[in-house]
Amino acid sequence: MSTTVDTAFAPVTFSEGAAKELYKLKDQQEISEDYGLRVGVEGGGCAGMNYVLGFDQKKDGDQEFFIDGIKVFMNKAHQMYLMGMMIDWQDGLNSRGFTFVNPNATSTCGCGTSFSA
């Protein structure tokens, strides 16, 4: 059974740039209202765990959050790795894409897409 949780208790936040980019992507890709943004982790990467970020349907074990008007799905087990994380969007000459500012990461890889806790 999954639950919906108020934004005040959401484990992650979005920068203004990240929220704008997510709205833009959802619109450009014509993502259905049945889908939400999946935020999570998976084993792998040079530092041990990779971040998961993409539009997906709700699965068993997911909690649902509304963060800055964006429907977010996260498996409860992933929250201990992601609690307090901010997702940002970089659009500069040296880097472009989503970045993760995770206070739980003890180390990260050079590209910033994997971490260890």
Side-chain angles (χ1 to χ4, degrees):
M1 178 179 191
S2 59
T3 59
T4 301
V5 178
D6 188 290
T7 302
F9 301 103
V12 300
T13 59
F14 300 124
S15 70
E16 184 179 335
K20 285 181 183 178
E21 188 64 20
L22 289 166
Y23 277 118
K24 185 170 107 179
L25 287 170
K26 187 174 180 192
D27 186 50
Q28 286 176 343
Q29 296 177 13
E30 299 177 356
I31 304 290
S32 158
E33 290 302 316
D34 295 340
Y35 284 71
L37 182 70
R38 177 161 305 282
V39 179
V41 296
E42 63 185 6
C46 20
M49 287 189 269
N50 285 322
Y51 293 108
V52 173
L53 186 69
F55 291 100
D56 195 5
Q57 290 183 310
K58 189 182 244 183
K59 298 177 182 173
D60 286 340
D62 282 349
Q63 280 195 298
E64 182 176 337
F65 304 93
F66 287 91
I67 305 169
D68 295 332
I70 299 167
K71 186 186 324 182
V72 175
F73 301 140
M74 182 184 292
N75 186 292
K76 288 180 186 182
H78 297 188
Q79 290 183 27
M80 64 188 235
Y81 300 110
L82 303 177
M83 187 63 70
M85 182 175 76
M86 197 245 321
I87 300 172
D88 194 11
W89 172 256
Q90 300 293 315
D91 193 12
L93 293 174
N94 293 329
S95 66
R96 179 182 167 96
F98 290 101
T99 59
F100 306 91
V101 181
N102 187 346
N104 305 298
T106 57
S107 66
T108 60
C109 68
C111 65
T113 60
S114 72
F115 72 102
S116 62

